Amino acid sequence: MADGSLETSRWVALAVSGDRSAFARLIGLHERRSLATAFAVVGCAATAADVVQDAMLRAWQRIHELQDPERFASWLSRIVRNLAIDTLRRSPRAAASMERLSLVPVHDPDAAEQSELADRLNGALAELDATTRLAVTLRYFDNLSSAQIGDMVGLSGAAIDMRLSRARGVLRKKLSCLLPAEPPALADTVMHRGVM
Amino acid sequence: MKERLKTDSPPPLEPHGSAAAGDPLDALLRRGLSEQLDMHIGRAAERFLAESDRPALTAPSGSAMRLWWAVPLLAAAAVVAMFAAPVFRAAQSSPADPSIASQRATNPGHLPSHGADASLTQVRYEPTEVGGAVKWADQYEGMVWLDDETPAQKIRRHRLETLEWTDPLDSSRIQITLPREEIVLVSSPKL
């Protein structure tokens, strides 16, 4: 399935011819997805950002190798993912240490709250398998549909829905202390809809 | 009503979260990811525009790619030549090379038949053939700067060198395999 829009294809064609501003536009179009992909692998926002920056430079150097402009998103995601995996292999503890270094000052209550959320969320995400973690970050950071995520990871949209559903169960349990209250039971919800 | 109850399955997750928009978990996940990642949006484009005019980061042409492929081949050839030459010389000039002697000592049936007093220390090992094989795997580790103006590609190379000698007298063969790891920096021309 082609994953590119007409807009992407147009910018790719210009970028292949050496147009830097066109490639900068492509970066803007695909940066969220790339960040989500890298973050799912390395588990650290700062490291993920570095990975994405390196990946974009590498993609620019290799864009002439791209056979089908409509596959730009998949092609770029592969570069990001491979680079993120390489980064993790080279220094598996770098991600964790960098995350600790990037913690905001505790004197700022809002910032401290953000830090706690980040810590707990990242810890909960680490409990998921790699593919499910990628699906969660792509869904909740880049707002991708299950079909789009499935196309990226080689699964069907239904399979992604199942993984997301299971992931939500795990995350709800892990993050329960940050959630306001338990949601109503599924049976109650269905009955309520039926009555309506 | 029963029909409707049966088919009214839990709403699937929609691309924009419309079905579960009211779920606090969704809001929490979106907020948690946004707070960490949103601050990095735009940095990749900034860095690209700042660095893409450097010669090392211009999109490579076909001829440049051909040169790039030649680099590991030339390096491998140089390594083989560098390693093989001293070993070859040592084998010719050192009749009592302990490694060779011990190799022969483990296989006395292959001792040369010339000279009844051919002790291990007197065996002259004269290879008639020197063959070498190198296997390597490159791991790209990104850009580094040799100085303020000289970018370079950093490559970690895992190499397995195999060298082989054949003795003309008894046709015995000696093979040495050496694993090595090296960092190769391929600099790019300055503007």
Side-chain angles (χ1 to χ4, degrees):
Chain A
M1 189 176 82
D3 53 19
S5 64
L6 280 175
E7 190 182 12
T8 292
S9 298
R10 201 177 70 228
W11 293 123
V12 169
L14 288 169
V16 169
S17 69
D19 187 335
R20 291 169 57 225
S21 60
F23 192 77
R25 293 294 296 268
L26 281 172
I27 293 176
L29 287 172
H30 295 273
E31 195 171 13
R32 290 187 76 84
R33 183 180 301 193
S34 300
L35 271 172
T37 302
F39 181 73
V41 176
V42 300
C44 164
T47 308
D50 288 343
V51 166
V52 169
Q53 290 172 29
D54 290 342
M56 294 302 181
L57 294 174
R58 187 178 292 190
W60 167 249
Q61 289 178 298
R62 295 184 179 177
I63 194 160
H64 66 280
E65 296 173 9
L66 179 61
Q67 303 288 329
D68 180 1
E70 291 191 350
R71 303 290 303 179
F72 177 80
S74 298
W75 177 76
L76 180 62
S77 288
R78 271 200 304 278
I79 292 177
V80 171
R81 205 149 104 183
N82 290 339
L83 208 52
I85 291 169
D86 284 349
T87 301
L88 206 59
R89 273 193 198 135
R90 281 208 305 272
S91 72
R93 292 181 184 175
S97 59
M98 288 184 73
E99 189 64 41
R100 280 195 295 275
L101 287 175
S102 68
L103 289 181
V104 288
V106 292
H107 305 296
D108 181 349
D110 290 339
E113 186 189 341
Q114 283 182 13
S115 171
E116 186 193 355
L117 172 58
D119 283 349
R120 288 186 182 276
L121 175 58
N122 295 352
L125 287 172
E127 301 279 319
L128 306 175
D129 66 87
T131 305
T132 306
R133 191 162 56 244
L134 178 60
V136 169
T137 56
L138 288 170
R139 165 61 55 85
Y140 290 101
F141 184 64
D142 196 29
N143 234 15
L144 291 192
S145 70
S146 298
Q148 287 172 308
I149 298 170
D151 189 39
M152 281 184 67
V153 301
L155 294 172
S156 68
I160 294 297
D161 275 338
M162 281 184 63
R163 282 176 178 267
L164 284 172
S165 179
R166 271 192 239 120
R168 284 164 54 81
V170 173
L171 294 172
R172 191 183 298 283
K173 196 173 171 184
K174 295 278 178 187
L175 301 173
S176 58
C177 58
L178 298 174
L179 292 170
E182 282 293 315
L186 183 61
D188 294 343
T189 310
V190 174
M191 184 57 73
H192 180 66
R193 286 200 183 119
V195 172
M196 291 291 287
Chain B
M1 180 62 70
K2 281 185 181 176
E3 287 268 330
R4 193 172 176 190
L5 279 171
K6 276 185 182 175
T7 55
D8 200 1
S9 59
L13 289 163
E14 295 298 324
H16 300 284
S18 56
D23 191 332
L25 177 65
D26 288 338
L28 191 70
L29 293 174
R30 289 180 199 285
R31 185 160 66 90
L33 290 170
S34 289
E35 282 175 0
Q36 294 182 74
L37 296 173
D38 275 353
M39 68 180 79
H40 300 290
I41 294 287
R43 290 186 182 174
E46 280 175 20
R47 185 174 157 202
F48 166 72
L49 289 172
E51 294 191 15
S52 60
D53 56 346
R54 292 180 189 273
L57 293 173
T58 51
S61 64
S63 60
M65 289 303 292
R66 280 195 294 275
L67 286 174
W68 172 253
W69 280 105
V71 170
L73 293 175
L74 290 172
V79 164
V80 170
M82 251 171 48
F83 187 81
V87 175
F88 181 78
R89 277 198 302 272
Q92 281 187 317
S93 62
S94 169
D97 187 324
S99 64
I100 295 171
S102 65
Q103 173 90 5
R104 293 186 171 217
T106 59
N107 196 0
H110 285 185
L111 283 171
S113 56
H114 66 288
D117 59 343
S119 67
L120 287 177
T121 55
Q122 289 172 328
V123 171
R124 183 174 183 86
Y125 194 80
E126 296 180 344
T128 56
E129 179 186 341
V130 177
V134 176
K135 293 177 183 177
W136 74 88
D138 287 347
Q139 182 180 355
Y140 180 73
E141 295 194 341
M143 296 289 302
V144 294
W145 292 90
L146 301 180
D147 55 48
D148 287 344
E149 296 179 345
T150 312
Q153 311 272 352
K154 183 179 177 185
I155 299 162
R156 185 178 298 274
R157 175 164 297 150
H158 306 275
R159 211 173 60 214
L160 207 60
E161 296 172 5
T162 304
L163 299 170
E164 188 177 292
W165 294 264
T166 303
D167 190 327
L169 299 176
D170 60 1
S171 298
S172 65
R173 293 190 305 163
I174 293 177
Q175 192 177 75
I176 298 175
T177 301
L178 292 171
R180 284 169 177 264
E181 184 177 280
E182 64 182 7
I183 303 288
V184 179
L185 296 173
V186 183
S187 66
S188 301
K190 296 178 184 178
L191 268 177

